Amino acid sequence: RFPLVALREGRFCNACVILGVNRLLLVTGFSGLFAVSAHSLPCRIKNSAELYAPDKFPRFDLELLAASVEALNSVRSQTDPNKATYVTGDFVYDKDGKAKAVRSVGIRIKGEGSFQSFEKKPALKINFDKFVEDQRFRGLNRLTLNNNYDDPTFLAERLAYAVHREVGVPAPRCNNARLYVNSEFYGV
């Protein structure tokens, strides 16, 4: 049996991270799916595979300037027109104690029914090429950090995707991760 991998139509895959107070779940978004062998994965999938390995626990850091934090703090509701506005920041991936930084990424609050203000750990969208054209992180052009608002176990989506893959239905890749914002722990 070959592992199923969700691939997005177009040049690059999307990714999501499901965020909770105690857990993060890393998930790749998808559309236009098909199954492939791990040996024939496109480079962009191979480059991001370690993020989703079940034996890995990746760490991500967001480094935000005071103006970016202030702009994110100013978004107070899901209908706030500034919710869709990206601020700049740096995204850092810690791999075995070695930091890989992606500078000048776009960061914004997301969420409808699951909306939370910035100080309450909201869902966030990271757009790696928002301010730097064609910039990527391990082949990905986007990453979404969701707040797992309505799942106190932080497992529902991860288990559902595993069940889907087990029965042959393509589903997003996922994993737990740690998030720090301006060097302060934000959630696991």
Side-chain angles (χ1 to χ4, degrees):
R1 275 181 25 194
F2 294 119
L4 291 176
V5 178
L7 299 177
R8 179 180 180 265
E9 290 179 1
R11 297 186 312 163
F12 301 97
C13 292
N14 291 327
C16 308
V17 177
I18 310 304
L19 168 66
V21 175
N22 296 320
R23 296 244 179 229
L24 281 176
L25 182 62
L26 186 63
V27 180
T28 298
F30 63 92
S31 65
L33 300 171
F34 53 94
V36 297
S37 156
H39 300 291
S40 66
L41 292 174
C43 287
R44 65 185 173 268
I45 298 299
K46 287 180 185 176
N47 289 343
S48 62
E50 75 181 36
L51 303 175
Y52 305 99
D55 63 331
K56 301 292 182 192
F57 192 44
R59 173 180 169 158
F60 302 121
D61 288 73
L62 295 178
E63 297 172 358
L64 304 172
L65 296 173
S68 293
V69 171
E70 184 177 327
L72 291 170
N73 276 327
S74 72
V75 178
R76 304 311 295 172
S77 75
Q78 65 188 18
T79 59
D80 190 317
N82 292 323
K83 186 178 87 169
T85 302
Y86 282 90
V87 300
T88 57
D90 294 337
F91 177 88
V92 181
Y93 169 52
D94 184 326
K95 181 182 179 188
D96 304 322
K98 297 177 184 170
K100 164 65 175 148
V102 183
R103 305 288 181 207
S104 300
V105 302
I107 301 163
R108 75 171 180 88
I109 291 178
K110 74 171 276 292
E112 296 299 323
S114 64
F115 176 85
Q116 296 287 312
S117 59
F118 188 64
E119 62 272 2
K120 292 184 179 179
K121 297 178 181 74
L124 299 171
K125 284 196 176 269
I126 313 298
N127 187 328
F128 296 108
D129 66 350
K130 180 68 178 176
F131 301 112
V132 178
E133 188 175 343
D134 294 325
Q135 179 169 251
R136 301 287 180 260
F137 167 66
R138 299 208 167 262
L140 304 171
N141 67 336
R142 286 185 290 238
L143 197 67
T144 299
L145 306 171
N146 284 331
N147 59 6
N148 224 2
Y149 176 77
D150 56 358
D151 179 15
T153 68
F154 309 109
L155 294 172
E157 288 193 64
R158 187 173 185 176
L159 292 173
Y161 295 148
V163 169
H164 280 85
R165 283 189 296 277
E166 191 62 31
V167 298
V169 176
R173 300 176 292 167
C174 51
N175 194 13
N176 293 316
R178 296 166 287 161
L179 178 66
Y180 288 75
V181 175
N182 290 340
S183 300
E184 291 187 29
F185 180 69
Y186 205 69
V188 175

